[in-house]
Amino acid sequence: NRIKYFQVIADSQNRRFDLQISNDIFIELSQIELNRLIDNNLSNALKYSNIASTIKIIVSNNTLEFHSIGNAIIDTNNIFKKYSRENESVGGHGLGLSIVNDICAKYKISINVQSLNDNTNIFSYKFNCHTVDTK
């Protein structure tokens, strides 16, 4: 649903979403907070990815990943601090990833950010708050 919400913006910027879901996950957290986590990542991917690129959203093994192609992230730890921004030329207040960090801390969601040599940036969230199958 969140991808559908951002689709108009993606289309207007000549960007595509590629959603890959390999299995279902069941997590216990607020729908509002999950939406904030997803929205901030989609918004950032749209802001900072190259025009005419594809943004991949991958759900697999209790992990949610956002892959986008753009400028390398210089300090992958600092970007989660309040008011921190690596690119001043793009709009925003530097609060989105700080909010994401707070949500992840609250629910013990592990964060991993990678900036690869091919200009792919990966934001990965490992959900440790999933529900165990109780058959």
Side-chain angles (χ1 to χ4, degrees):
N1 289 335
R2 304 318 300 158
I3 292 170
K4 288 178 187 175
Y5 177 81
F6 282 94
Q7 190 64 57
V8 173
I9 298 167
D11 291 343
S12 71
Q13 297 178 354
N14 195 21
R15 290 176 174 93
R16 286 188 47 235
F17 290 125
D18 177 14
L19 177 61
Q20 301 172 13
I21 301 175
S22 64
N23 59 345
D24 291 335
I25 61 174
F26 300 94
I27 53 176
E28 296 176 359
L29 75 144
S30 157
Q31 182 71 41
I32 292 168
E33 289 171 311
L34 179 60
N35 285 348
R36 284 189 183 137
L37 186 149
I38 293 169
D39 288 359
N40 277 300
N41 279 276
L42 290 176
S43 175
N44 282 347
L46 287 168
K47 272 193 251 182
Y48 297 109
S49 65
N50 294 341
I51 293 173
S53 65
T54 298
I55 298 162
K56 291 182 185 176
I57 303 96
I58 301 169
V59 179
S60 178
N61 299 320
N62 295 326
T63 302
L64 172 62
E65 291 184 350
F66 299 87
H67 296 230
S68 61
I69 298 172
N71 292 335
I73 299 168
I74 297 165
D75 188 345
T76 58
N77 292 318
N78 192 51
I79 58 174
F80 288 93
K81 293 180 182 168
K82 195 177 278 190
Y83 308 117
S84 174
R85 297 177 60 221
E86 284 202 355
N87 186 339
E88 297 294 327
S89 67
V90 179
H93 301 287
L95 295 173
L97 288 178
S98 174
I99 292 167
V100 167
N101 191 52
D102 291 346
I103 292 167
C104 289
K106 178 179 178 180
Y107 291 100
K108 297 182 173 96
I109 300 168
S110 304
I111 303 171
N112 185 31
V113 179
Q114 298 176 57
S115 200
L116 307 178
N117 290 336
D118 66 353
N119 292 333
T120 298
N121 294 309
I122 303 171
F123 285 74
S124 180
Y125 302 92
K126 177 77 171 175
F127 290 89
N128 299 308
C129 52
H130 64 283
T131 303
V132 176
D133 185 5
T134 57
K135 293 186 183 176

